[in-house]
Amino acid sequence: MVIAKLLAARAGVAERAVYSRHLRRVWGVPGTLLGAGAWPPLFKDKIHTSFNYWWQAHLLDCMVDGYLRSPSELRRRAIGRLVRGIRVRNVLGWTNDFYDDVAWLGLALQRVQRDVGIAKPKAVNAIAERLRDGWTDHAGGGIWWKRDDDFKNVPANGPAAIFLARQNERADLSRARSIVDWVEEHLVDPGSGLAWDGLHVHPNGEIREYEKNIYTYCQGVLIGACVELAKHGQTGKWLDKAARTITAVHDDLATNGVIKGQGGGDGGLFGGILTRYLAQAALAIPDLDPDRHETADLARELVVRSAEAAWLNRTVAISGPLFGPEWTEQAREEEGRDLSVQLGAWMCLEAAALLERSGLDVATA
């Protein structure tokens, strides 16, 4: 059985391993940090040749999770240094050409301001403007994946909707609703209830083809957006969609309640992102609608079982545990080189620790 506060301790161990193995200055600039993309780091990792902008956004999110679990000045300083490191390494500003990257960083910076007290209003405003400009009427609406591209997808629209809803301004909230309505109309499989990846658009605005790949993080951001919107009215409508997606994840994207992995590289983050928004759903849904306790319990169970499996299947490496991309299988060191894989597991452990300190049942048989 999992005992009280054990999940917080596990998350702390994962946090220390990432700090020890991956965090380093940007080009030697004092007061900066960035996550090296792999461990053991090659020379290109040490000098951050590959930036992996959106990995850094999730590293920042995980560091905020750690701060909320156990606030300290050391954690707060590290968060400030990572924010500065991201800005220094991005060279020309806070944004890039990928709307999904920008949205992920925006979500992390919103939390840094709200939960840690480090405000970057120019960054948040620049990101908000970029996301507002990403919406067009091609294919009936939605935000592009990348500037000057022909692809619109859930990984850009989902986090953008969450970000805009959290801006809590009338126009942004309206746009967030429109985004999720568009995703529901165009990118949710009517059979399974799961969100596809995205669609390609002709120059005249007509849909050219669909990318019907199913990724776990697409489900996570759709759940997150629906829960966020449910806090601002039409609660039943949005929670119906969240419940459908949570059930579909349990039925099709989990093995015995453990979320399936989707490899290394970018895929290493996918399961962790899903657990982040499942945990938020497990906490928010009972307050929004007490009659939906079964949906909240299902979300909680997915998080707890996934975290337990990730922990039990870790391997031992220098400076702490090393996690694999598939949490139901014993981790192998060669599969855990990517920062993304370690962040995905750390994110999952923090999600479980959040449920633990919120008083939810985190016991596993």
Side-chain angles (χ1 to χ4, degrees):
M1 301 289 286
V2 178
I3 61 175
K5 307 304 179 186
L6 179 57
L7 301 186
R10 290 176 176 179
V13 171
E15 173 192 36
R16 287 191 293 276
V18 170
Y19 270 57
S20 174
R21 293 196 290 248
H22 289 275
L23 292 190
R24 56 184 64 242
R25 286 181 178 180
V26 182
W27 305 325
V29 176
T32 65
L33 284 173
L34 211 61
W39 177 86
L42 303 175
F43 179 71
K44 65 182 180 66
D45 302 308
K46 293 178 180 179
I47 64 172
H48 306 291
T49 300
S50 296
F51 182 22
N52 291 319
Y53 179 113
W54 81 290
W55 294 17
Q56 307 301 326
H58 286 289
L59 171 59
L60 184 57
D61 243 340
C62 284
M63 290 170 71
V64 174
D65 290 339
Y67 179 86
L68 291 175
R69 171 174 39 79
S70 182
S72 71
E73 185 56 30
L74 181 65
R75 286 185 173 90
R76 189 178 188 278
R77 285 200 303 270
I79 289 167
R81 288 169 179 167
L82 179 60
V83 171
R84 184 165 186 244
I86 291 170
R87 175 60 187 85
V88 168
R89 179 59 185 82
N90 205 46
V91 182
L92 296 178
W94 290 100
T95 62
N96 68 10
D97 286 339
F98 292 86
Y99 291 99
D100 55 345
D101 284 8
V102 170
W104 292 122
L105 182 60
L107 287 170
L109 290 174
Q110 283 177 326
R111 296 186 69 215
V112 167
Q113 177 172 328
R114 182 190 68 203
D115 298 329
V116 187
I118 299 175
K120 293 293 178 182
K122 290 183 179 179
V124 172
N125 288 338
I127 288 168
E129 285 302 319
R130 176 61 58 86
L131 294 177
R132 291 172 190 137
D133 290 344
W135 173 280
T136 71
D137 292 333
H138 295 77
I143 288 175
W144 295 106
W145 167 60
K146 181 185 178 184
R147 298 174 92 182
D148 301 320
D149 199 70
D150 73 343
F151 193 50
K152 293 187 172 185
N153 65 354
V154 176
N157 281 272
I162 299 169
F163 173 87
L164 291 171
R166 289 179 180 172
Q167 287 292 91
N168 204 26
E169 297 178 5
R170 180 174 295 182
D172 286 340
L173 192 56
S174 177
R175 177 62 75 211
R177 293 188 183 106
S178 297
I179 289 171
V180 180
D181 282 338
W182 178 81
V183 169
E184 283 284 328
E185 181 179 354
H186 293 280
L187 291 175
V188 172
D189 186 324
S192 69
L194 293 170
W196 298 323
D197 182 27
L199 54 80
H200 294 274
V201 185
H202 285 297
N204 66 2
E206 295 179 356
I207 296 171
R208 176 163 59 85
E209 65 176 332
Y210 290 89
E211 295 284 351
K212 295 188 176 182
N213 301 315
I214 300 293
Y215 298 123
T216 49
Y217 75 146
C218 292
Q219 321 316 314
V221 293
L222 182 55
I223 292 165
C226 289
V227 170
E228 203 65 41
L229 290 174
K231 300 173 184 178
H232 298 279
Q234 294 182 292
T235 302
K237 169 186 172 178
W238 300 117
L239 291 188
D240 281 347
K241 300 179 188 306
R244 177 212 64 216
T245 310
I246 292 168
T247 300
V249 165
H250 177 271
D251 293 347
D252 296 332
L253 297 180
T255 302
N256 296 323
V258 179
I259 293 165
K260 296 177 181 178
Q262 295 191 302
D266 286 345
L269 286 165
F270 292 2
I273 292 168
L274 174 54
T275 60
R276 175 182 297 284
Y277 292 105
L278 285 170
Q280 292 178 15
L283 292 172
I285 288 174
D287 290 335
L288 293 167
D289 185 349
D291 292 334
R292 295 180 183 266
H293 61 88
E294 291 184 0
T295 296
D297 286 345
L298 192 59
R300 173 192 55 79
E301 179 184 326
L302 285 162
V303 173
V304 172
R305 288 188 178 277
S306 297
E308 182 75 357
W311 179 261
L312 292 178
N313 285 304
R314 73 196 185 282
T315 192
V316 178
I318 296 171
S319 304
L322 197 72
F323 302 95
E326 180 58 69
W327 297 330
T328 59
E329 299 175 2
Q330 184 68 42
R332 297 195 298 271
E333 187 167 311
E334 63 271 17
E335 293 181 328
R337 292 193 69 249
D338 290 343
L339 171 63
S340 58
V341 174
Q342 302 313 303
L343 290 179
W346 177 14
M347 209 180 307
C348 179
L349 293 169
E350 291 286 7
L354 171 62
L355 300 182
E356 177 185 60
R357 69 176 179 269
S358 300
L360 271 64
D361 179 12
V362 292
T364 58

